[in-house]
Amino acid sequence: MRGVAEEASAQPAVPAEIERLGRRLAAAPGREDSLRHVRVLPRREATTTSWPDWAHTDVVDAFGRRGVAAPWRHQVVAADAAHAGQHVVISTGTASGKSLAYQLPALTSILDHRGSRGERGAATLYISPTKALAQDQLTTIAGLGLAVRVTTHDGDSSYEERDWTREHGEYVLTNPDMLHRSLLPRHGRWTDLFRSLDLVVVDECHHYRGVFGAHVAQVLRRLRRVCAFHGSDPTFMLASATVGNPAEHASQLTGLDVMAVSHDDAPRGEVALMLWEPRFTSYTGEGGAPVRRAASSECADLLADLVSEGVRTLAFVRSRRAAEQVAGTAASLLADVDASLTGRVASYRGGYLPEERREIEQALRDGRLVGLAATNALELGIDISGLDAVLVAGFPGTRAAWWQQVGRAGRNAGDALAVLVARDDPLDTYLVTHPDALLDVAVERTVFDPANPYVVGPHLCAAAQEVPLRENELDLFGGHARELLDELTATGRLRRRPHGWYWTHPEPASALTDIRSGSGRPFSLVEESTGRVVGTVDAGSAHATAHAGAVYVHRGETWVVDSLDLDDRVAMIDRAEVDYSTTARELTEISIRRELGHHTWGAARLSLGLVDVTRQVVSYLRRRQPSGEVMEEVPLDLPEQSLSTQAVWWTLSDEQLADSGLLSADLPGAAHAAEHCSIGLLPLFATCDRWDIGGVSTAHHADTGRLTVFVYDGHPGGAGISARGFTAAREWLTATRETIRSCVCPDGCPSCVQSPKCGNQNHPLDKGAAVSLLDVLLDQAPPE
Ligand SMILES: [Zn+2]
Ligand SMILES: [Zn+2]
């Protein structure tokens, strides 16, 4: 943190003026027409209830000391369920006290079951996606002042600590990686803990989606088997940000029947939501296309305006560099108004020490700091309450994440302003011009495919090593388990004996897979100057994100890749503050292996199936930041990569096309434009990033004999994304057409049909013909 002013004098915004304040921002010169939509969410009163009879008085007293006089109703509904042995997921908004809901039954059970000499009678295993979150939980629980033995078990734990946890730990905080690599394979040494386990808490479970979700689902199944082996049958309690299908998601993750508690009884003030689209700039982009002002630059201006009015504001941006840029620009704009205000703005990144975080939290609370620009790293870690406004630079990828960021403003039931500033891409354009799609549609269904064979196979081996697999357990691992076991036996991975399947190799079976990676062994990112491993990058995306010359943003820090060693799977990188970003471009070919399902819309056919994709990263673009202006395209010499995955595709017959009046010369540009925009919009229907998916379009495909547009999952075996596109095809492709049609550019731009990762220099693209083509396709789609 930098430049925190010494004394406090900021005045909080008068709550009733929140909406007027937003309108005043929009009226400033140069911002005419930028405000696309305003929506005011009404105030919500809290619903509290009394503590359950079963709650341990020490635990109730401890929460009381922390200021919780009476719990909110949803907390007690969830806690009651878990206490009664019902698996439950609590899926409510930011700051709705989800941790109290699981801590209450967990701590009560630990205290109730403790032996007369203080020995462990019941235990809770708490699983979080990150070490940092587990550390925060540790601090919180220790701060309750109860005599409960709470401890973390992660990669940093010493042998002494592990021994202590094994002997005495009652509330053990860990992560899926530790379960996978250490706790489950060595469960024999942890007999006492597993035997006494009566509650498993899976916190922030919305993080477990895509391929990572599929892995964690397998790890949790293995955990259930190991518990059963030691004679325990714990209740699972999951906590999630608001997602569209909490019960289904939690059931997929655990393989259990899970009840959802999603009605939020926490209070909330009035929230004014504004959707904002920056104006076009004077320079042009690829192919002469108009380009909009960068969302981060727009946010810097808005941040300065808000801070000058004393409105406590948090701006969310993508990288630490952007956070610094936004804070720096806002500070210098403020200097023009009043030099004393410059110190009131700072940037925040992940990786601060707890004391540093507390210092920032305190500075925001007491008004020394009025504006903060932060990366999403903030989501896990800092506790900021009572902000007046939130600025979001670019749609954060999911409605769930958007609502979480909005939830940062107006805590303690104060009124708040939240502004989404659109980035120059099709999804953002669609959302700010179709506010219902952002504000009225339920948040995303979290998708993953728990039966992905590329994921399940290695976990079957790990499970067999933990406790030999029996025939009657196979249902737990999904419909293909038997087939996979036959395959694993045939290839010598597992050995079949009369009573089941065994792992007979000396090495640990858990080493067969990395649960954070979808595509085999990940690439290491190694700091050139120190030799330190900074992180890893998924094998499937290494060519595109870690090629020589790539600018790589890792946890908000900016690095430049010096070299990429494909054999050793190592990218050498170094910290660098550069004024540009890079985007890789790739060429793709696709062939169909098998169709898994289809719909016919008149003569059009929509399919889901297995495909083989050949991809090659051929070059990368350097773009000046924050403007996004293209500086140059640099060729790359990288080999082809192949990928077996799932895809959704649609085809039109020659007759349909002949009748449509579209010229055959326009078809390649029409299909290509429709493909690009549909990739940009799929994240609206399936929880994914546009970088997780790819596409191919052609006026004539060898396997279908027709005009075909493919969109495929970028992970081996698929992550459930294209399957979701298939299910939601009509809404998805209708939104695609809407986006192209409503974009005000003349011939296509990054907000509609241009794609930053196109391997064909965004050529040919025909915006008008794409709309006509989608008309033909959607003409006979069934009604909603
Ligand atoms: Zn456009
Ligand atoms: Zn393209």
Side-chain angles (χ1 to χ4, degrees):
M1 188 181 57
R2 318 170 300 183
V4 177
E6 282 310 310
E7 70 232 273
S9 67
Q11 299 296 312
V14 180
E17 285 190 344
I18 282 286
E19 193 193 342
R20 244 175 299 159
L21 169 77
R23 298 223 179 249
R24 207 153 63 231
L25 287 181
R31 294 194 193 138
E32 305 84 0
D33 305 328
S34 290
L35 182 59
R36 291 269 174 266
H37 186 76
V38 182
R39 169 85 55 93
V40 179
L41 304 180
R43 167 183 305 280
R44 183 177 67 209
E45 303 298 336
T47 308
T48 54
T49 185
S50 50
W51 295 99
D53 300 339
W54 53 259
H56 198 287
T57 47
D58 290 359
V59 181
V60 170
D61 291 347
F63 283 123
R65 283 194 299 277
R66 212 199 266 160
V68 186
W72 292 317
R73 187 178 52 192
H74 67 264
Q75 294 174 315
V76 172
V77 173
D80 272 341
H83 177 72
Q86 162 73 53
H87 309 296
V88 59
V89 54
I90 180 167
S91 168
T92 50
T94 319
S96 61
K98 290 186 280 270
S99 24
L100 184 147
Y102 55 75
Q103 286 165 2
L104 184 63
L107 299 170
T108 293
S109 176
I110 289 168
L111 293 175
D112 281 351
H113 291 94
R114 188 174 284 161
S116 53
R117 289 184 310 278
E119 68 272 26
R120 175 170 62 197
T124 292
L125 187 66
Y126 167 96
I127 304 165
S128 78
T130 65
K131 272 193 290 191
L133 185 62
Q135 289 292 346
D136 281 357
Q137 278 285 320
L138 179 73
T139 313
T140 314
I141 296 173
L144 283 171
L146 291 164
V148 166
R149 296 189 293 264
V150 49
T151 169
T152 54
H153 181 68
D154 60 33
D156 300 337
S157 310
S158 66
Y159 285 108
E160 293 74 26
E161 286 167 331
R162 290 175 192 215
D163 287 344
W164 190 85
T165 301
R166 196 156 44 222
E167 299 288 312
H168 307 293
E170 292 175 313
Y171 199 114
V172 179
L173 306 134
T174 189
N175 52 57
D177 312 72
M178 280 306 276
L179 273 171
H180 169 63
R181 280 187 281 106
S182 161
L183 274 169
L184 295 175
R186 284 174 222 143
H187 66 92
R189 306 189 60 203
W190 292 81
T191 301
D192 287 347
L193 178 71
F194 282 115
R195 188 185 293 149
S196 54
L197 209 57
D198 71 347
L199 188 67
V200 175
V201 175
V202 184
D203 202 4
E204 301 278 329
C205 72
H206 57 281
H207 282 274
Y208 306 130
R209 58 186 175 87
V211 176
F212 186 37
H215 277 293
V216 172
Q218 296 305 318
V219 171
L220 294 178
R221 280 160 177 73
R222 285 164 48 202
L223 170 63
R224 286 177 50 205
R225 283 185 81 234
V226 163
C227 287
F229 178 81
H230 293 287
S232 64
D233 183 15
T235 302
F236 278 70
M237 197 166 183
L238 301 94
S240 163
T242 314
V243 298
N245 54 338
E248 183 196 18
H249 176 63
S251 297
Q252 280 194 323
L253 269 178
T254 56
L256 295 162
D257 233 353
V258 183
M259 157 192 156
V261 173
S262 51
H263 189 279
D264 195 331
D265 294 310
R268 187 187 65 195
E270 210 169 72
V271 186
L273 301 170
M274 309 186 108
L275 307 186
W276 196 280
E277 189 173 38
R279 63 180 186 278
F280 280 120
T281 55
S282 54
Y283 74 89
T284 55
E286 194 166 26
V291 176
R292 291 192 184 275
R293 189 157 190 256
S296 56
S297 304
E298 195 83 357
C299 273
D301 290 5
L302 295 173
L303 181 61
D305 285 5
L306 288 165
V307 169
S308 73
E309 299 217 22
V311 181
R312 274 180 294 180
T313 306
L314 177 60
F316 281 107
V317 295
R318 195 178 145 265
S319 64
R320 179 188 172 192
R321 186 182 154 71
E324 282 169 357
Q325 222 161 40
V326 166
T329 308
S332 64
L333 288 169
L334 284 165
D336 296 341
V337 181
D338 176 353
S340 74
L341 289 174
T342 54
R344 296 271 151 83
V345 190
S347 65
Y348 177 88
R349 62 176 167 81
Y352 280 124
L353 298 170
E355 312 84 79
E356 294 172 310
R357 285 196 238 146
R358 301 295 100 87
E359 165 61 17
I360 294 175
E361 287 162 12
Q362 187 52 39
L364 268 168
R365 256 194 295 276
D366 63 26
R368 278 173 295 153
L369 203 54
V370 184
L372 189 66
T375 63
N376 292 342
L378 184 97
E379 271 309 324
L380 297 173
I382 197 166
D383 180 24
I384 298 176
S385 52
L387 287 167
D388 304 312
V390 165
L391 302 170
V392 181
F395 179 57
T398 60
R399 295 183 202 92
W402 150 252
W403 287 118
Q404 252 182 309
Q405 296 184 346
V406 169
R408 286 283 175 179
R411 286 212 196 186
N412 304 329
D415 293 352
L417 173 72
V419 185
L420 172 67
V421 179
R423 254 196 317 246
D424 203 2
D425 78 34
L427 185 53
D428 285 36
T429 310
Y430 180 78
L431 292 173
V432 295
T433 52
H434 297 79
D436 306 355
L438 177 67
L439 307 178
D440 295 321
V441 173
V443 294
E444 291 76 10
R445 306 167 59 77
T446 309
V447 299
F448 66 88
D449 177 5
N452 180 332
Y454 291 84
V455 172
V456 177
H459 287 285
L460 283 172
C461 294
Q465 184 173 29
E466 283 147 16
V467 182
L469 267 170
R470 307 275 179 242
E471 185 92 41
N472 61 5
E473 292 178 304
L474 302 191
D475 282 353
L476 186 62
F477 295 95
H480 304 293
R482 185 58 203 256
E483 258 169 78
L484 283 165
L485 281 171
D486 290 344
E487 209 176 293
L488 291 164
T489 311
T491 54
R493 286 271 198 214
L494 290 178
R495 188 166 290 182
R496 178 85 212 253
R497 288 179 182 154
H499 295 298
W501 289 265
Y502 290 76
W503 175 262
T504 53
H505 302 278
E507 67 272 22
S510 57
L512 292 175
T513 191
D514 180 316
I515 66 169
R516 303 260 174 186
S517 159
S519 325
R521 193 157 63 89
F523 283 58
S524 302
L525 298 167
V526 176
E527 185 173 23
E528 179 126 63
S529 50
T530 62
R532 179 172 67 101
V533 176
V534 174
T536 60
V537 52
D538 191 83
S541 55
H543 286 206
T545 56
H547 58 77
V551 173
Y552 192 89
V553 177
H554 181 71
R555 294 194 181 163
E557 308 269 0
T558 306
W559 303 76
V560 173
V561 179
D562 295 307
S563 61
L564 175 68
D565 185 326
L566 296 175
D567 297 326
D568 290 345
R569 299 196 172 216
V570 168
M572 302 303 291
I573 63 175
D574 258 319
R575 283 297 310 280
E577 294 304 325
V578 290
D579 62 352
Y580 62 90
S581 66
T582 56
T583 37
R585 306 194 119 177
E586 62 181 25
L587 292 175
T588 310
E589 278 172 36
I590 199 163
S591 63
I592 299 171
R593 253 195 304 148
R594 183 150 54 97
E595 192 183 62
L596 298 172
H598 75 273
H599 302 306
T600 46
W601 292 351
R605 186 182 179 96
L606 198 96
S607 306
L608 175 72
L610 303 177
V611 295
D612 291 316
V613 177
T614 309
R615 295 186 290 177
Q616 186 175 23
V617 173
V618 290
S619 66
Y620 69 96
L621 291 184
R622 294 209 300 149
R623 295 170 190 272
R624 202 178 303 287
Q625 288 304 328
S627 71
E629 186 188 352
V630 174
M631 298 155 70
E632 63 171 335
E633 179 163 3
V634 184
L636 288 168
D637 183 22
L638 287 163
E640 288 183 347
Q641 287 181 291
S642 52
L643 170 73
S644 290
T645 185
Q646 288 196 0
V648 52
W649 65 90
W650 49 272
T651 69
L652 294 172
S653 73
D654 290 347
E655 297 73 47
Q656 274 180 302
L657 293 168
D659 292 348
S660 70
L662 278 160
L663 300 175
S664 54
D666 294 342
L667 293 176
H672 190 198
E675 172 220 317
H676 278 183
C677 188
S678 70
I679 292 173
L681 283 173
L682 187 50
L684 197 56
F685 300 89
T687 314
C688 67
D689 192 280
R690 80 191 266 179
W691 302 96
D692 288 339
I693 45 183
V696 174
S697 56
T698 164
H700 180 94
H701 190 270
D703 294 338
T704 62
R706 316 216 286 183
L707 178 142
T708 310
V709 175
F710 293 90
V711 174
Y712 63 85
D713 271 45
H715 299 283
I721 299 166
S722 43
R724 182 75 193 124
F726 178 69
T727 315
R730 196 186 51 78
E731 298 94 318
W732 168 40
L733 295 166
T734 303
T736 301
R737 178 177 61 183
E738 264 313 292
T739 302
I740 303 175
R741 187 150 56 195
S742 61
C743 189
V744 295
C745 71
D747 301 311
C749 72
S751 295
C752 56
V753 298
Q754 289 191 342
S755 163
K757 64 172 186 173
C758 179
N760 294 309
Q761 283 77 29
N762 279 300
H763 184 81
L765 286 178
D766 191 329
K767 182 183 170 187
V771 173
S772 309
L773 189 70
L774 289 163
D775 282 339
V776 178
L777 172 70
L778 290 163
D779 188 34
Q780 298 199 53
E784 203 161 346

